Amino acid sequence: MKNIVQTETLNSLQQRILEAKQAVVNGELSPIVYFMEINKMDWKTLAAYMNSFVFLIKRHQKPSVFNKLKPKTLAKYAEIFDISVEELTQFNGK
């Protein structure tokens, strides 16, 4: 029973990652959502790491808002996700 639950949880997580990746590639969401899923974070956790409010962090999921983020904010996201700023801003889904 325990293995079944673990397998289902991993499958669900993998599905969420794939959906986030596709939404980023389609221009529907910013890469923040994909990296948040990869790192198994929710909005509240990410907001805590960013020392910000959840509603502000959620705004960054919109590509139009994400594309206007300051370098300092992008650098903080990259540090939290343990990636480079280039990986964050040049995300192409590969």
Side-chain angles (χ1 to χ4, degrees), residues 2-93:
K2 184 177 178 181
N3 287 339
I4 294 170
V5 172
Q6 289 174 334
T7 301
E8 286 300 315
T9 301
L10 289 174
N11 288 342
S12 174
L13 178 60
Q14 190 62 31
Q15 184 62 34
R16 287 175 55 176
I17 290 169
L18 290 173
E19 288 172 4
K21 182 178 186 178
Q22 192 59 51
V24 174
V25 169
N26 292 344
E28 299 163 2
L29 294 173
S30 78
I32 289 170
V33 178
Y34 172 76
F35 289 108
M36 191 175 78
E37 291 292 349
I38 289 285
N39 287 282
K40 300 174 187 84
M41 293 182 173
D42 60 12
W43 293 110
K44 189 173 181 180
T45 303
L46 184 56
Y49 276 109
M50 289 293 291
N51 292 322
S52 188
F53 297 104
V54 173
F55 78 93
L56 289 175
I57 299 304
K58 279 187 170 186
R59 288 191 71 237
H60 298 169
Q61 74 180 314
K62 297 177 184 178
S64 61
V65 176
F66 175 78
N67 292 332
K68 295 176 186 172
L69 291 177
K70 295 178 181 177
K72 182 178 177 183
T73 303
L74 292 170
K76 191 163 184 179
Y77 274 121
E79 180 183 340
I80 290 166
F81 295 140
D82 196 27
I83 59 174
S84 69
V85 173
E86 290 75 27
E87 288 175 279
L88 180 63
T89 58
Q90 306 297 317
F91 182 84
N92 60 11

